[in-house]
Amino acid sequence: MAANKIRVATTSLAGCFGCHMSFLDIDERLLELLEHIEFDRTPLTDIKQCGPCDIGLIEGGVCNAENVHVLKEFRKNCKILIAMGACAFNGGVPALRNHYSLKDCLEESYLQGVGVVNPLIPNDPEIPLLLNKVHPIHEIVKIDYFLPGCPPSGDAIWTFLNELLAGQEISLPYQAIHYD
Amino acid sequence: MQLEEQTITIDGQKIPFQSGQTIMDAALAAKIYIPHLCYHPEFKPHGSCRLCTVMVNGRYESACTMPSVAGQEILNNTKELNENRRALTQMLFVEGNHICPGCPKTGNCQLQAVAYYVGMLSSHYQHFYPYRDLDPSHPDYVVDFNRCILCELCVRASRDVDKKNIFAISGRGIKAHLIINSPSGKLEDTDFAVGDKAAFVCPVGAILRKRTRYTTPIGERLYDKQSIRIVGDSQQLHAGATKYGRK
Ligand code: SF4
Ligand code: SF4
Ligand code: FES
C-alpha cells in the first residue's frame, strides 16, 4: 500500500532540533499518521538524500553552505515545502550572531572564549563553511507554508499536517500561532 | 430641542462620536478595534505607523489622525486593508531585529499581537539585520534599539508628560533611529526615572525595566489566549495605563 502513502521528508538546518522534538510530541498519534505517510530523508530514518516527496518540513534557518545545499535539495524534491519554527521563519536565535562579524564570532568562541583550551579556529575541510549571516529560508527558496513557534506545539503540527493531508485550508486556533 | 446624535459608520455599524474625536477615538469608545501601534489615547496622535489606515468615503486615511465627521462611511476590517496592515507589520519585523524567543517582551508585545491579528505567518521580505546597539547603562532600565519601531510614544511621553525630553528620533527615512538626549547618548546620563511616563509606554521590547521580566508563565501572558482585538493595548500592563477594548 506504500504507493498510496504521502511521502514526507524533514530536516533540521540551523535549528536546535526543538521543532523535531515537538513533532515527536504528537506521541502515539504518530502511529496514526504513519498510516497515511511514509518518511523519506529525515533524522528519524537516517536516509541521507532526499528523493521525490510530497511534503518537506524544514526546521531552522541557513547558517552554512551545507544548509543552503540541503534546502535546495528539498525544494527540488518536495511538492510542498513548509517552514517550521522560529528559526526557519526569521533566523531565530542563531540570527543573533548577525550583529557581529563572522570573524568576531569565531574568535570569541574558539580563541578568547571563557574556558577555551587549545585555542584554534576549526578549519577541517569536512566542516561546512559558515555564511556571513544567518538567513530565514524564505530568502533562499520559495516556501509554501509557514508554521511559526519556538517550537510550534505538537498539537499545532498535528492539526497542520492533518488539515494539509485532508486537502483543507489550514486554520489553526489563535493560541496555536505564536512566534516564541 | 435635543441635538441629533452625530454618527459615523464603520463596516456598516453606525456609531456615535463627539466633536473633536478622531475616527480612532470614536471606534475605541464603541469597542471597535482598529489596529494601531503609534496611537495611544493619552497622547497627541503621531500618524506614523499607518497600521490604522482605513477607507473613509473611498479614500485611505489614518484613523488616529482623521477627525470624525458626521456621515463618514468607513471601511476598517476588510481583507484588503488587513493585507496592507500585514505587509506593514512584516516591514517592521524585517527592518529591526525581532527575535521573539529571546525577547523579554514576548507574549506581552503589541507588535507581535498586531502581527497575530493580521495573520502574519512569515516575515516575507528580506531581513535587514541592521546593527543596532543596546544601552544597559541605566540602573533600572535597558534600551534595546534593535526592537524600536519608531512609534515616538516614549518621545511624546517624555516631552509632553515628564517634561524631560529624553528621547528623540534622529535621521530620515531608512536612517531614522531613536536617540537619547544626553552628552554621552547613554540613558544613565539623563534624569530618566522609574516613575516616568516614558518608562511605561513602549509597545514593544525596546524600553524595558530591568529584573522584572519573564515573571508571567507562558500561557498566562497578555496575548497568549486572546487576540489584541479583545485584550487591548500592551500599556495596560502598567499601573495607571488606560484600559479599553476589554470585554
Ligand atoms: S519587541 Fe515584540 S516583536 Fe520584537 S522581538 Fe520582542 S516580542 Fe518579538
Ligand atoms: S523606544 Fe519604544 S516607545 Fe520609543 S519610539 Fe521606539 S518603539 Fe516607540
Ligand atoms: S496608529 Fe494611526 S498611524 Fe499609527
Side-chain angles (χ1 to χ4, degrees), chain A residues 90 99 138-139 174 179-180, chain B residues 98 106 120 127 129 221 223:
Chain A
N90 72 353
H99 275 190
H138 75 257
E139 290 185 10
Y174 174 80
Y179 306 147
D180 59 359
Chain B
H98 294 276
T106 187
M120 181 181 120
H127 282 256
Y129 295 124
R221 300 166 307 178
Y223 299 119

Side-chain angles (χ1 to χ4, degrees), chain B residues 14 17 32 54 63 78 83 102 117 132 139 142 146 148 152 167 174 180 193 202 211 227 229 237 247:
Chain B
K14 248 194 182 124
F17 71 92
I32 293 176
V54 290
T78 70
E83 276 171 7
Y117 176 80
R132 298 210 207 135
V142 52
N146 291 290
C148 174
E152 282 212 5
F167 300 100
I174 198 61
I180 294 169
C202 183
R211 297 175 294 275
S227 158
R229 180 178 65 80
L237 286 174
K247 246 190 184 161

Side-chain angles (χ1 to χ4, degrees), chain B residues 162-226:
Chain B
D162 306 330
K163 311 280 181 216
K164 290 186 179 176
N165 274 314
I166 289 174
F167 300 100
I169 304 290
S170 170
R172 285 177 169 275
I174 198 61
K175 297 212 173 100
H177 62 288
L178 183 73
I179 52 165
I180 294 169
N181 186 10
S182 70
S184 63
K186 296 276 181 224
L187 196 64
E188 64 175 343
D189 295 324
T190 68
D191 51 354
F192 188 76
V194 174
D196 284 4
K197 186 73 183 169
F200 298 110
V201 291
C202 183
V204 295
I207 301 180
L208 292 166
R209 179 91 194 254
K210 288 182 179 174
R211 297 175 294 275
T212 60
R213 296 290 159 169
Y214 299 119
T215 45
T216 318
I218 292 176
E220 305 287 316
R221 300 166 307 178
L222 190 59
Y223 299 119
D224 277 342
K225 294 197 193 101
Q226 280 181 311

Side-chain angles (χ1 to χ4, degrees), chain B residues 93 97-100 103 105-107 109 111-112 147 204-206:
Chain B
F93 266 82
N97 293 306
H98 294 276
I99 312 292
C100 297
C103 174
K105 190 80 172 187
T106 187
C109 167
L111 175 62
Q112 214 181 42
R147 307 188 189 115
V204 295

